[in-house]
Each structure stands twice: as structure tokens, then as C-alpha cells.
Amino acid sequence: MVLTSSYSRGVRRLLSSASRNNLLSLRHHRPNYNYTITASRIMFSSASSSSEVADDNSEPAFEDRIKPRVLILGSGWGGFTLARRLNKDLYDVRVISPANHFLFTPLLPSTAVGTLEFRAIQEPVRTIEGLGHYYQAKARDIDSTKQIVTCQDLYKGVRFDVEYDYLVVAAGMKSNTFNTHNIERLEGVVVFFLKHLFHARQIRNRIVECFERASNYTIPAVQRDRLLTFIVVGGGPTSCEFMAELHDFITKDVKKWYPELTKHIKLVLVEAGPGILGSFDKALSEYYLQKLKEKNIDVRLNTAVAGVDERYIDGEQITVARFADGTEINFGTMIWSAGLSPVKMISSSDFKLNRSRIVVDEYLRVPETKGRVYALGDCAASPDELPPTATVAEQQALYLADCFNKYYSAVDVTDEKNKDDEIPLPGNVTPYLMPFNALNFLNNVFCKAAPQFQYKNRGAMASMGFGGGVTDLKHTDLPSPKTTMSGKASYLVWSSTYLTKQLSLQNTILIPMYWFKAWMFGRDISRF
């Protein structure tokens, strides 16, 4: 990049001198200097001059585009799947997300205790073939009239605008604390969410930290018991699977390396509702609950967390979980997986919201945007009120990709004459019933195509550590027996399904290797 202002000449003079003092004086000679980044140019200005300078890495002006730009907000199940499936010969596909990777969320609880390694369940966004550009930033504002998304750089906080022809909001949702006392303030210290890879890394380090601190003979008994008490809040699949993984880690690895501490360990699962795994068949939920109790896990139903307090006992600072029923537990680690709330960009947007989710029609279009804005996944409220699950987001992304590739490409939205035209509704699209790409040919056999999005129930699964789990196929649309499974058979279905769904050969190889390593040699207990 070449700077033509007086500032650039000053830089060259300073750099030509070998004097260290001159180099350090650069910060003192710098004039008032500001810049604004847009999608196509960088603007420089100073007190003495201003100029627009082309950056060597800048992209062509939006007006010079030859393909419609599809801008996707988010790199989760919906955003990443859509970005991969869109035809790059027809569209300039771009992704904005603070996470530069896709996370295979069903295996996230396994990484929090070392059964799997973090990198084995993620796929970098930049590996998407033909991707136009990726911006590691947060979307802060959407102007659907001007078709501009204002973003904020993740590292320096610089704001910049990105223009679009089509916008797909797949930003997901964040953990909901329900304004519970001290949960947000102590998040990352003793309270941890479990939605992203960095959450799992925090939890893993905290667990090992608790055992290392508790193993010190100088630590008071009240602190040892507190550090070795783990509370999991929430009764959904993520909470239950993490609790099962944590129990496996304690019985197979902690028992080996910290044998003197096992009698102090306490595991507590707290659920505000009357049961766990509420979306599963009742018999499976009760089976899972019974298995947790057999593992000596304290499961408390109809119990809400009222808050977390910091107190002193015998001169030692401790953290205490207060429950709505008046009971209390001293704890060292709390995993919070109890609900979802919208990200700030969505809650502050001008879009119509329903329970904090963007309202969409049966074609996943946001109303009053002329077919230029879509929403899918957790952040979208569809007419049939679908649950915020990975399989819903994935099927919505596959449907939308077919709409773009087969139908929307017929409209030249780069032509100014079509700028204000409504995008025609799509034709028939076959729903994606089969969970694997190799079986997609069967979708036409078992499903009837329609212009609207059709969700197909593929069943539900939850693991219970090595060799256990539950599978609910009672209401599935798959051509399989309408039944349920539990135990080893369910674990085999769970593990084989998620292994087959990996997006890269690398992870398909790494995951069974890590499973074998954990089973044969144990989990890693290093903290770094």
C-alpha cells in the first residue's frame, strides 16, 4: 500500500534513519490520523491532507461485480452448510462471523473432558471451495433498505460496511442467563457456558485446575470439597451428555491419577422442569435419568438456580449456588446450558421478532424485504415453530441453497432495472430427509417436492459416555422402524451417524483415533 500524505513522507524519513530514537519518535510525530474501511476501499484522512488510496489487498468495487453477492451472517450449521452448497459460478458468496470455523456441536461435550481434541470437530471457513471472502467480524447493524451490513472487526474494533444483493442471517443465539444473579459476572471464572470451542477449552482447563488445587495437602477441607463439586445446569442433550462425559473422566482417569480425591467429588445436575431430555420419548428420558442416578449423580428436578454468591467460611472465599427451593451447594465449577437468547445484532434490528427470533415465512424470507433477506437456524422463527436444533438449521440451509441455485439465479439482481423488483417465489424443492449425502437420491423416493420449506424429522440421539445412549425414532420420517433404542445399540448408532456426517476426511480419521486413544490409554490431564 502506498501512502501519499505528509504522514507517509514522515514515515519514510524516519525509516531511513538507523537511529532507534528516531524510530521510537514515530508515535510522537504522528498527526491526527483516522480511517474508515468499506467493502471496496480504504479512506485515509489526517489533519494536513486526505486521500482515497487503493489497497493492494482491496476488492473490486461493489458496483463492478459480475455475480450477485450472497452475504451470510454466521458459520454454524445453517451458515456453513449454505456457504458450501451455493453454486459459486452463479454467486459471489461471502461469510461474516466472529468464529472462523464451523463447529460440529454434537461432539462438543466430548472435547470438554479430553475424549476428543478441539480441532477434530471443527472445519475452517476458508476451506469452503470458491468462497468469495470471509470477514472475521461481528455484524452490528443491518440496513435492509440500502442493503448494507455494518460490521466490527474482531481484533481492533474497526467498523466497516459490506454491501449485498442477498442477505442470509444465520447468526444463531447465545446462552440465556435469565438475569440470574452473578452468572454473567462470574462467567469464565467459575461459571461456564458450553456453546463454542473456547467454552470447552475453558471448562477443560478449569476441571484440571480444580483437581490440581484440591490435591495440594495445604488446602483447607472446605475448599477441597468446594473445588470438587461440579454443577451442570439444564436438562437438555448437551447438559446430559456433558455430565455423562464428566463421569467417565472421573471414574476412568481421575480415579487413576488422583485416587485420594475421588471420595470428595460431587456431581449435580439441576433442571428447572419436571424431567430431562424433554423432547425425547418419556421412557427414554426416564431411562437416562435412572442411569445418571446409578452413577451417583445428584439429579435435582423442578429446581431453578436463584443465584450464585461469594462468601467467606473460616477465612476462605467460596462460591455458593442458591436454588429456588432454598437449598444451597458450595461449588467449584458450574456448567450453564439452560436456554437461549438472541445476539445483540438481532435484538436491536428492525426485523419483526417472535420470542426474540426473526420472523420468516414458509420460504424462509424475512417479510417486507422483497426476497432479498432470509433467516434460518436458531435465530429464525418459522411459521411451524421448529425447535432450535442443528438438524433444522442444516435442512433449512440445504433447502435455501436449492432455491438459490435452481430459481433465484434466473433474476439478474445486479441490473439496476431490477433493483426494486420482488424476487419470484421458488419452484418445487425436494426436502432433505436423508442425513447423509450418499443417500440423497432417496429423498425423491420418500418425499414430495414443494416450493415451501419442509422439515423432516430424522429422530433424536443422546450419548451416555462410552457404550451408552438413547435413540428416539418413534416420530421420525425416515423409512425405518418407529421405535426407540438404548444402551450399546444406541451408542453404535450415535457414534456411526456423527462419524459419517463429518465434512472432511481428516476429521473422519481423527475422531475414531481419539476415541480409541481415550478408551485404550485414557484422557489427557495436562493443563495449558
Side-chain angles (χ1 to χ4, degrees):
M1 178 168 57
V2 180
L3 302 181
T4 60
S5 66
S6 60
Y7 176 53
S8 65
R9 290 194 294 272
V11 172
R12 288 196 294 271
R13 283 197 301 270
L14 289 173
L15 292 179
S16 66
S17 171
S19 168
R20 181 173 181 271
N21 291 334
N22 281 344
L23 287 174
L24 290 175
S25 68
L26 174 61
R27 69 182 65 180
H28 303 297
H29 287 82
R30 183 173 59 212
N32 239 351
Y33 193 70
N34 301 310
Y35 59 91
T36 302
I37 300 179
T38 70
S40 57
R41 59 185 67 85
I42 299 181
M43 296 292 295
F44 293 88
S45 62
S46 69
S48 58
S49 65
S50 63
S51 60
E52 181 176 335
V53 184
D55 184 358
D56 292 339
N57 295 321
S58 64
E59 58 191 7
F62 183 69
E63 295 78 8
D64 299 332
R65 70 195 184 284
I66 59 176
K67 294 183 290 187
R69 177 179 296 177
V70 179
L71 188 60
I72 302 171
L73 306 184
S75 56
W77 280 93
F80 192 82
T81 302
L82 179 62
R84 291 181 74 238
R85 294 294 291 249
L86 284 174
N87 188 336
K88 312 307 186 299
D89 293 331
L90 300 176
Y91 299 100
D92 172 21
V93 181
R94 304 189 171 212
V95 176
I96 297 173
S97 174
N100 70 345
H101 58 271
F102 160 75
L103 172 61
F104 196 86
T105 50
L107 299 180
L108 184 61
S110 299
T111 65
V113 297
T115 305
L116 293 176
E117 290 301 323
F118 307 114
R119 295 191 182 278
I121 66 166
Q122 60 85 35
E123 300 287 349
V125 173
R126 293 187 183 275
T127 61
I128 298 175
E129 187 175 354
L131 185 68
H133 196 72
Y134 164 68
Y135 309 85
Q136 190 166 26
K138 292 184 178 181
R140 293 301 190 189
D141 184 62
I142 299 173
D143 189 331
S144 57
T145 302
K146 296 181 179 178
Q147 297 184 189
I148 291 177
V149 175
T150 300
C151 308
Q152 186 173 22
D153 170 72
L154 199 63
Y155 300 99
K156 296 294 186 179
V158 177
R159 293 203 171 218
F160 60 97
D161 295 335
V162 181
E163 299 174 270
Y164 65 84
D165 292 301
Y166 295 103
L167 176 67
V168 181
V169 183
M173 302 188 85
K174 63 181 181 179
S175 298
N176 193 347
T177 65
F178 303 100
N179 295 317
T180 306
H181 179 64
N182 270 343
I183 295 299
E184 287 191 9
R185 188 177 72 83
L186 295 176
E187 193 268 321
V189 182
V190 293
V191 179
F192 302 89
F193 301 140
L194 188 52
K195 281 187 66 65
H196 303 288
L197 274 181
F198 72 88
H199 290 148
R201 186 169 59 247
Q202 287 178 330
I203 293 170
R204 187 164 165 182
N205 279 334
R206 176 61 180 177
I207 291 173
V208 177
E209 175 193 342
C210 286
F211 283 105
E212 291 295 350
R213 290 173 60 185
S215 67
N216 192 317
Y217 292 110
T218 64
I219 194 169
V222 65
Q223 282 286 30
R224 180 177 290 111
D225 291 338
R226 176 188 74 87
L227 287 170
L228 299 182
T229 298
F230 302 88
I231 299 177
V232 178
V233 181
T238 299
S239 301
C240 292
E241 288 180 333
F242 172 76
M243 182 57 85
E245 289 280 355
L246 180 59
H247 179 269
D248 275 4
F249 173 64
I250 289 171
T251 55
K252 297 178 182 178
D253 300 285
V254 170
K255 186 177 181 179
K256 177 180 179 181
W257 301 112
Y258 307 91
E260 74 282 1
L261 297 180
T262 53
K263 62 183 179 181
H264 298 279
I265 299 171
K266 186 175 183 179
L267 304 181
V268 183
L269 179 68
V270 180
E271 165 57 34
I276 62 173
L277 300 179
S279 61
F280 283 67
D281 179 76
K282 186 176 181 180
L284 290 179
S285 299
E286 292 177 350
Y287 168 84
Y288 204 109
L289 176 62
Q290 182 60 35
K291 288 297 181 181
L292 291 179
K293 291 181 177 179
E294 290 176 7
K295 298 175 186 289
N296 293 320
I297 296 172
D298 181 7
V299 181
R300 303 190 177 196
L301 303 178
N302 298 305
T303 304
V305 178
V308 173
D309 295 335
E310 294 176 294
R311 301 175 188 169
Y312 285 88
I313 297 180
D314 297 332
E316 293 289 328
Q317 184 179 14
I318 63 170
T319 45
V320 182
R322 291 184 291 105
F323 302 109
D325 60 3
T327 58
E328 297 180 346
I329 296 179
N330 301 344
F331 72 94
T333 304
M334 176 182 287
I335 312 302
W336 187 278
S337 182
L340 299 172
S341 64
V343 295
K344 186 176 181 180
M345 181 268 297
I346 291 177
S347 60
S348 62
S349 70
D350 294 330
F351 298 135
K352 183 180 179 181
L353 303 180
N354 179 15
R355 290 184 297 178
S356 302
R357 301 165 73 186
I358 300 175
V359 173
V360 296
D361 60 18
E362 58 267 37
Y363 307 97
L364 304 183
R365 298 184 175 197
V366 177
E368 301 178 5
T369 60
K370 300 180 180 179
R372 305 302 179 94
V373 182
Y374 302 78
L376 52 82
D378 295 0
C379 67
S382 55
D384 40 2
E385 298 184 351
L386 296 172
T389 62
T391 185
V392 170
E394 181 188 36
Q395 290 185 49
Q396 289 177 332
L398 293 170
Y399 161 82
L400 203 54
D402 280 356
C403 290
F404 274 101
N405 294 338
K406 296 178 180 179
Y407 303 108
Y408 300 156
S409 57
V411 181
D412 183 9
V413 293
T414 63
D415 191 335
E416 284 293 319
K417 295 185 297 183
N418 300 326
K419 183 177 181 180
D420 297 323
D421 291 349
E422 182 90 17
I423 302 300
L425 295 176
N428 286 339
V429 176
T430 303
Y432 283 82
L433 169 62
M434 295 298 161
F436 313 116
N437 291 335
L439 300 178
N440 279 346
F441 69 95
L442 293 176
N443 291 327
N444 292 315
V445 177
F446 296 103
C447 303
K448 184 178 180 180
Q452 302 87 357
F453 169 71
Q454 302 177 73
Y455 169 68
K456 296 300 179 180
N457 189 324
R458 297 172 176 173
M461 300 178 293
S463 73
M464 198 183 296
F466 276 126
V470 292
T471 300
D472 187 357
L473 297 174
K474 273 198 170 182
H475 304 287
T476 183
D477 295 313
L478 290 169
S480 66
K482 304 302 184 282
T483 184
T484 61
M485 285 183 286
S486 60
K488 294 181 179 179
S490 177
Y491 179 77
L492 180 62
V493 172
W494 178 89
S495 57
S496 59
T497 297
Y498 288 141
L499 182 61
T500 310
K501 283 188 70 65
Q502 294 306 305
L503 304 180
S504 68
L505 177 62
Q506 172 181 292
N507 286 350
T508 305
I509 295 173
L510 285 176
I511 288 173
M513 288 176 58
Y514 284 126
W515 278 338
F516 176 77
K517 172 184 171 295
W519 173 75
M520 188 72 179
F521 304 106
R523 299 165 180 82
D524 182 24
I525 58 169
S526 302
R527 182 177 184 271
F528 49 85

